[in-house]
Amino acid sequence: MRAVETRGLAHRFGDGEAARTVLHGLDLAVDAGEVVLLTGPSGSGKTTLLTLIGGLRAVQEGSCRVLGTELAGADEARRVALRRRIGFIFQHHNLLGFLTAEQNVAMALEITPVMPEPERLARARAMLAAVGIGEKAGAYPATLSGGQRQRVAIARALVHAPGLILADEPTAALDGRTGHETMTLLQRLAKEQGRTVFIVTHDPRIHDIADRIVAMEDGRIIDGTRA
Amino acid sequence: MSGAAPRAAAILPALLAARLAWRQLRHEPARLAAAVSGVVFACLLIFMQLGFLTALFDSAVTVQAALNADLFLLNRTTEALWRSAPFPRARLAQALALPEVERVIPLHVGNAVWRNPIDGQKRTLLLFGVDPSAGLLGFPGLAAAEMAELARGDVILFDERAKPQFGPVPALLAERGAVAAELGDRRVEVAGLFALGPTFGTEGHAVASEPTFWRILPNRGPGQVDVGAIRLRPGADAEAAARALRALLPADVMVLTKAGLIAFEKDYWANTAPIGFVFGLGVAIGMLVGCVIVYQILFSDIARHIGEYATLKAMGYANGYLVRVVMGEALILAVLGYIPGWLLGLGLYRVASARIFIPLTMDLDKSVLVFALIFVMCVVSGLVAIRKLRDADPADMF
């Protein structure tokens, strides 16, 4: 079972003369339960690949199958439905500033409103405890440290039991030690719960958490086997 | 899935979106206070303009509403009571030809200059001349015994709620029993009081017998009538009788039922006199100002939270959810602004009523109407502001 599978995936920005091809027919496969790091210099197209896999951009050319959903030709509703089955971790945590930590985590569960509120909050608190900041459940993001915020973001990305977790430079805003700690935590939780994780990073200090490292350059995969 | 689940699934997203809207607003109390005071301001503007507008209409027809008759004849060219054009008295005699007509009562209306008995200041009031025994005038506080006094000649009854500039007539009357005054260059005696109060057409009223009326306004005579009041026999259909009279009488008079007379007067103030238009415009401008304020608040709020909204989109929230959040904010602002707006409106009504001597009343109709207007205002602003949500692109989050 493959969590992600692309065939001949290509992407351009702009039209006509000004068009710039950022992805050149990528073939990539990520197995379910794998923790994969995508590395490469900036401008290599790795973030574009991440947004395509995450259903945040429409696929222009080639095939992109994520969690069994073909994204080539998929409309917005189909992509929104897929996004609900993915956990996103952003470079700058992107927590909602007007919500407490547990409310932020619960937002990932509110998308399917039928779950009773107490269960939602209980799950959010349990997830915050699992990332080691259970005592900060009622705190607003502005009062948390960078590492604590990223832990809340990890809790938010995991709480709804997503089939795939996508992270974009998750350690960019953290110091080396905190970055490594949070990524080790993410890797441990993913392995415990059997989640697939796909991380875009150029932080060499976190290479040790990966099952496999894929390297990109100029819109092409140059090495997809390194572990 | 249980039976309640689909229903819950329909209501819950709206509630959850509204809760997020509330949490977002609550997080910054200073901004919320500024936003709410904007809505309060719009609310007050609308309440005041609407208060004046309805006071205008209510005061404009207090006289008509108090006339005890079924049908009314007016000169075809009459636009409003305070500026009635007289028509020949013969029309009333002609109306008697209709079998349903029981009695006709002529009413004379004219503007007369009153001299303040204390300081001699001159002000114009609206004088009614009528047969005191006809029982046509049902003004509040008008006693039959006082009406009988009018038969003496050069005796009038005075509007105790007329503006204070007319002089302290009620106090003088209580002190001396009768007050000598001057109306239209004629010495008259004030023998009693009634209570109408100022309208937008006049600042006070007085009632006299027909002969006294003609003496006070010498250019008017017995051959002329301003309002021809007609009483029908019991059980007669007013509408049918009005139709029959229209066929019977020459085209120089119009025939109106009592409801028609009230509607006719209101129509003058709403459409012919600029006053109705001015206050109507005031209501519209109040709404427009409110729309601009609420739109500004919502637009800047979306702009400030665009990254958070894009994050929600990336997490799988549909655009419709964010629309509900913004509309939720709009409705919360409507409710939060309306409540203090209503209370302040009540206070301002009291102040304004005391200043202009025309009662501005806070009734259920007005309260509901203003809430509806504020609600519409916030919804429209919300609908315009949500276009800004398109800028929330989750692909920009990476």
Side-chain angles (χ1 to χ4, degrees):
Chain A
M1 170 63 189
R2 295 263 163 87
V4 179
E5 187 162 21
T6 74
R7 293 237 169 275
L9 185 64
H11 202 84
R12 281 179 307 280
F13 286 118
D15 294 309
E17 288 290 301
R20 192 168 50 86
T21 304
V22 289
L23 296 180
H24 300 275
L26 290 193
D27 294 335
L28 173 74
V30 177
D31 287 330
E34 239 188 327
V35 175
V36 175
L37 249 61
L38 181 65
T39 65
S42 49
S44 59
K46 55 190 193 302
T47 294
T48 306
L49 177 60
L50 193 72
T51 56
L52 286 170
I53 292 171
L56 301 171
R57 257 182 231 290
V59 171
Q60 292 172 345
E61 200 184 315
S63 157
C64 181
R65 254 186 117 69
V66 179
L67 301 176
T69 300
E70 176 55 70
L71 288 172
D75 60 6
E76 175 71 13
R78 203 177 170 85
R79 285 190 280 132
V80 166
L82 172 67
R83 296 209 289 260
R84 296 181 176 190
R85 297 162 57 208
I86 296 175
F88 288 94
I89 299 171
F90 306 88
Q91 190 169 345
H92 297 290
H93 67 77
N94 288 21
L95 298 175
L96 275 60
F98 54 88
L99 296 183
T100 63
E102 69 175 3
Q103 287 167 349
N104 262 291
V105 176
M107 281 308 288
L109 297 169
E110 266 188 39
I111 300 174
T112 45
V114 283
M115 183 185 289
E117 176 77 6
E119 188 185 340
R120 224 168 7 229
L121 288 176
R123 285 203 195 183
R125 277 193 288 267
M127 202 65 232
L128 283 171
V131 298
I133 50 166
E135 78 286 359
K136 294 287 184 185
Y140 285 94
T143 66
L144 298 175
S145 71
Q148 287 170 330
R149 285 179 212 170
Q150 200 56 297
R151 280 167 193 256
V152 177
I154 289 169
R156 182 175 67 178
L158 289 173
V159 72
H160 58 305
L164 173 66
I165 292 145
L166 295 179
D168 180 49
E169 305 283 5
T171 59
L174 305 176
D175 65 68
R177 215 186 58 135
T178 315
H180 190 262
E181 263 173 27
T182 51
M183 286 305 104
T184 308
L185 172 74
L186 172 63
Q187 189 243 16
R188 179 170 60 78
L189 291 171
K191 285 295 170 192
E192 279 170 17
Q193 302 174 5
R195 312 263 174 254
T196 313
V197 183
F198 192 72
I199 303 172
V200 163
T201 184
H202 57 244
D203 184 352
R205 292 169 299 197
I206 61 168
H207 283 185
D208 60 319
I209 68 156
D211 296 330
R212 188 154 64 95
I213 296 172
V214 178
M216 271 184 80
E217 214 172 286
D218 295 331
R220 290 185 179 81
I221 290 171
I222 53 167
D223 182 0
T225 53
R226 205 146 57 85
Chain B
M1 208 180 231
S2 74
R7 216 175 21 246
I11 302 165
L12 264 172
L15 287 179
L16 290 174
R19 185 176 71 175
L20 192 78
W22 169 238
R23 284 173 171 172
Q24 188 182 320
L25 286 171
R26 180 189 65 175
H27 192 66
E28 289 167 288
R31 277 183 67 85
L32 177 61
V36 166
S37 50
V39 179
V40 170
F41 177 70
C43 199
L44 271 185
L45 256 174
I46 296 174
F47 260 127
M48 288 321 288
Q49 301 294 332
L50 208 61
F52 287 132
L53 191 66
T54 51
L56 166 68
F57 285 144
D58 291 344
S59 76
V61 296
T62 45
V63 170
Q64 286 84 343
L67 296 179
N68 299 316
D70 303 306
L71 296 180
F72 299 89
L73 301 187
L74 293 179
N75 187 318
R76 175 71 58 193
T77 63
T78 288
E79 285 189 317
L81 184 73
W82 71 276
R83 45 184 302 191
S84 322
F87 60 89
R89 193 175 191 129
R91 298 287 171 267
L92 278 176
Q94 285 170 285
L96 279 170
L98 196 74
E100 291 95 322
V101 174
E102 186 179 65
R103 184 173 178 188
V104 295
I105 307 153
L107 176 66
H108 310 275
V109 184
N111 295 290
V113 177
W114 166 268
R115 196 161 173 273
N116 184 325
I118 301 296
D119 62 11
Q121 277 283 322
K122 289 186 174 179
R123 285 191 100 80
T124 302
L125 54 65
L126 200 62
L127 178 66
F128 298 105
V130 70
D131 174 2
S133 66
L136 177 65
L137 305 181
F139 299 160
L142 199 63
E146 290 175 342
M147 281 302 275
E149 295 277 321
L150 295 183
R152 284 196 278 126
D154 288 340
V155 170
I156 65 159
L157 304 180
F158 191 79
D159 183 355
E160 66 177 20
R161 293 188 52 224
K163 283 204 176 169
Q165 286 83 353
F166 285 91
V169 179
L172 293 174
L173 201 63
E175 198 178 301
R176 305 176 195 167
V179 176
E182 207 175 292
L183 188 57
D185 293 332
R186 183 125 195 132
R187 297 209 54 87
V188 293
E189 179 198 329
V190 178
L193 299 169
F194 60 93
L196 273 182
T199 68
F200 282 81
T202 183
E203 296 176 330
H205 302 84
V207 175
S209 66
E210 289 185 281
T212 307
F213 181 89
W214 295 320
R215 279 197 289 274
I216 291 168
L217 296 171
N219 59 335
R220 309 290 287 275
Q224 305 266 286
V225 177
D226 295 291
V227 178
I230 297 173
R231 288 215 187 108
L232 299 175
R233 290 187 199 287
D237 177 9
E239 290 287 347
R243 277 195 297 277
L245 279 176
R246 279 181 204 122
L248 189 72
L249 297 174
D252 61 347
V253 289
M254 348 181 225
V255 185
L256 298 168
T257 60
K258 187 162 173 180
L261 183 74
I262 289 170
F264 179 79
E265 188 78 13
K266 281 190 176 176
D267 181 66
Y268 168 81
W269 291 106
N271 299 318
T272 310
I275 299 178
F277 175 75
V278 166
F279 290 128
L281 193 68
V283 172
I285 287 174
M287 275 189 82
L288 195 69
V289 169
C291 274
V292 172
I293 293 172
V294 176
Y295 169 76
Q296 281 289 341
I297 292 163
L298 293 178
F299 184 89
S300 68
D301 213 53
I302 295 172
R304 283 154 33 83
H305 290 101
I306 203 82
E308 287 161 331
Y309 290 163
T311 304
L312 289 174
K313 274 190 180 177
M315 287 167 66
Y317 282 94
N319 201 52
Y321 174 84
L322 297 180
V323 168
R324 284 195 290 269
V325 171
V326 174
M327 295 314 284
E329 279 191 72
L331 298 185
I332 289 169
L333 289 178
V335 172
L336 289 186
Y338 177 78
I339 295 167
W342 188 89
L343 288 170
L344 284 171
L346 192 65
L348 267 185
Y349 275 14
R350 298 242 165 97
V351 172
S353 300
R355 297 290 299 179
I356 65 172
F357 301 98
I358 296 177
L360 303 182
T361 48
M362 180 68 82
D363 51 23
L364 187 66
D365 281 2
K366 214 174 288 165
S367 305
V368 170
L369 176 62
V370 173
F371 183 72
L373 290 175
I374 292 290
F375 192 83
V376 167
M377 181 184 95
C378 289
V379 167
V380 167
S381 313
L383 288 175
V384 178
I386 56 177
R387 291 181 309 170
K388 177 74 179 164
L389 283 176
R390 287 192 213 130
D391 292 355
D393 182 359
D396 291 344
M397 288 297 97
F398 289 103

